[in-house]
Amino acid sequence: MRGRPLLRTAYGQDLALLDTASKRGAVGALVLVGLALPWLLTDEILQLLATCCVAAIGAIGLNLVTGYAGQVSLGHAFFLAIGAYTAAAISGDPGGRVVGFGVANLLVWLPAAGLVAGLAGVAVAPLATRLRGLYLAIVTLGLVFIGGYVFETWSGLTGGPGVGRPAATPALFGYRLDVDDAFATRDQKLYLLMLVLVVLFAVAAANVARSKVGRAFTAIRDRDIAAGVIGVNVARYKTIAFAVSSCYAGCAGALLYTLSGFFDPGSFNLLLSVQYIAMVLIGGAGTISGSILGAFFITLLPRITREAPALLPFISASPTDTPNSYQLETVLYGVLIIVFLIFEPRGLFGIWTRIRNYWQTYPFSY
């Protein structure tokens, strides 16, 4: 309404994805900038940004089950591995040393990876109906170690530890996206693919969050006993939460190593699960935008730690024994999680909300 742009007279207006002109303009500007970046940045930076987009898909999936439904999961790396190996097996060389069916079409192996990982999530979901909190976290943590053993011993599928196998081949109707051609480089094409996919997955997740299913997730997170009393089928919606989260993780795992072209069982360890937990907590639990912010922040963090060991010798036991980048990343994940949980539980999204509210109310302090 003229003069009162935030006055809403219907539930549809309140549930709109982009309910203000400023949000629509900001999102449109971000999309335009994202589409222009392939011709402004180097291939190395584009590959890093493509990795950020894929990580955002996995972080959104984890946020649905942890941030929205309140089910703490430390087994995200397990579902990423299922998606990665499913996609690699479907698109792999039938005559190679590992399992492969030769179907390189992205529209086949990507949904298949999400479906298989989603079914794995449904299989794990009965545990979520009986456990919660720390007990559920320990059980999902066990999935990482079980999956690590299975993937290391199943060399016919994975290639074995230290050997690995080629990742899924990204192709659309016979057009290869992982090779240079006259139109664009490999990194330009893969970046654009990941950008489009993260937008699609984010919009789908936002629609789930604002639907009846999303409201049931929130009720279970806030108090599952009360949710059951008011008629929410707790077991059903916990199963849906794990299925959707695992599906997102499977798709992210299928896409993640198409950028490097190769992976092995050691790629899906506990640190990978910790990284995704850090993305959710640092970005902002219970928000889709926070998942994306956290994924970009954590994925870009190694670029900083790559130079940090020479600047932080005081962390080491002696002046000549400086920590490597892997050690610094591990320490920083823990430190950042603690800092954000204590000082800003809403994460980067909360910081952005504070900044936005400040400028909206300026020069007033309320």
Side-chain angles (χ1 to χ4, degrees):
M1 299 179 66
R2 181 176 297 177
R4 303 186 67 182
L6 298 181
L7 177 64
R8 295 162 181 166
T9 58
Y11 284 115
Q13 296 172 344
D14 194 48
L15 292 175
L17 282 176
L18 302 174
D19 55 350
T20 64
S22 59
K23 289 183 181 180
R24 291 189 290 270
V27 171
L30 285 175
V31 171
L32 290 176
V33 170
L35 292 175
L37 287 180
W39 291 270
L40 300 175
L41 301 177
T42 62
D43 285 349
E44 180 187 4
I45 301 299
L46 290 176
Q47 186 177 26
L48 183 60
L49 292 178
T51 305
C52 293
C53 292
V54 177
I57 296 173
I60 291 170
L62 182 59
N63 214 339
L64 287 173
V65 72
T66 299
Y68 282 93
Q71 307 303 300
V72 181
S73 175
L74 297 178
H76 214 55
F78 173 72
F79 300 109
L80 287 163
I82 290 178
Y85 284 116
T86 300
I90 291 175
S91 69
D93 181 10
R97 58 181 179 81
V98 289
V99 176
F101 298 96
V103 183
N105 193 337
L106 176 73
L107 299 179
V108 175
W109 56 256
L110 184 59
L115 178 61
V116 174
L119 292 175
V122 171
V124 174
L127 299 173
T129 63
R130 295 172 174 82
L131 302 171
R132 61 182 177 180
L134 179 62
Y135 300 100
L136 178 60
I138 295 300
V139 169
T140 55
L141 177 62
L143 293 175
V144 177
F145 298 104
I146 294 172
Y149 173 77
V150 171
F151 296 134
E152 287 180 1
T153 56
W154 194 357
S155 58
L157 172 67
T158 67
V163 180
R165 66 167 298 155
T169 303
L172 282 173
F173 307 109
Y175 179 67
R176 292 284 297 271
L177 300 175
D178 59 338
V179 294
D180 296 344
D181 57 30
F183 302 101
T185 65
R186 171 186 182 275
D187 293 310
Q188 287 175 329
K189 291 187 287 186
L190 288 177
Y191 164 77
L192 289 173
L193 171 66
M194 304 311 173
L195 178 65
V196 171
L197 288 176
V198 74
V199 171
L200 293 177
F201 277 95
V203 170
N207 279 305
V208 170
R210 70 195 183 109
S211 68
K212 174 185 175 182
V213 174
R215 293 192 293 272
F217 287 173
T218 304
I220 293 171
R221 177 195 65 195
D222 293 341
R223 188 64 175 172
D224 54 353
I225 296 176
V229 169
I230 64 175
V232 176
N233 190 329
V234 176
R236 176 188 175 190
Y237 284 107
K238 283 186 177 181
T239 302
I240 293 174
F242 268 92
V244 176
S245 173
S246 303
C247 178
Y248 269 65
C251 293
L255 295 168
L256 185 59
Y257 293 98
T258 59
L259 301 171
S260 61
F262 192 84
F263 64 103
D264 62 16
S267 304
F268 307 98
N269 50 27
L270 179 58
L271 179 60
L272 185 61
S273 288
V274 172
Q275 287 175 340
Y276 277 92
I277 287 290
M279 292 175 192
V280 171
L281 295 179
I282 293 173
T287 64
I288 304 301
S289 302
S291 303
I292 298 173
L293 288 173
F296 273 72
F297 181 83
I298 293 298
T299 306
L300 295 174
L301 188 62
R303 297 282 295 191
I304 302 173
T305 60
R306 196 172 296 173
E307 301 296 332
L311 304 176
L312 299 175
F314 57 86
I315 295 180
S316 61
S318 65
T320 58
D321 181 23
T322 56
N324 57 40
S325 60
Y326 176 83
Q327 292 170 328
L328 278 177
E329 288 173 34
T330 306
V331 171
L332 281 175
Y333 294 145
V335 170
L336 288 171
I337 289 174
I338 294 172
V339 169
F340 273 91
L341 285 177
I342 294 175
F343 297 103
E344 185 50 84
R346 294 183 299 170
L348 295 173
F349 182 80
I351 295 175
W352 158 245
T353 302
R354 289 173 183 269
I355 296 172
R356 182 191 63 191
N357 292 341
Y358 173 81
W359 286 110
Q360 285 180 340
T361 60
Y362 184 82
F364 304 102
S365 60
Y366 57 85

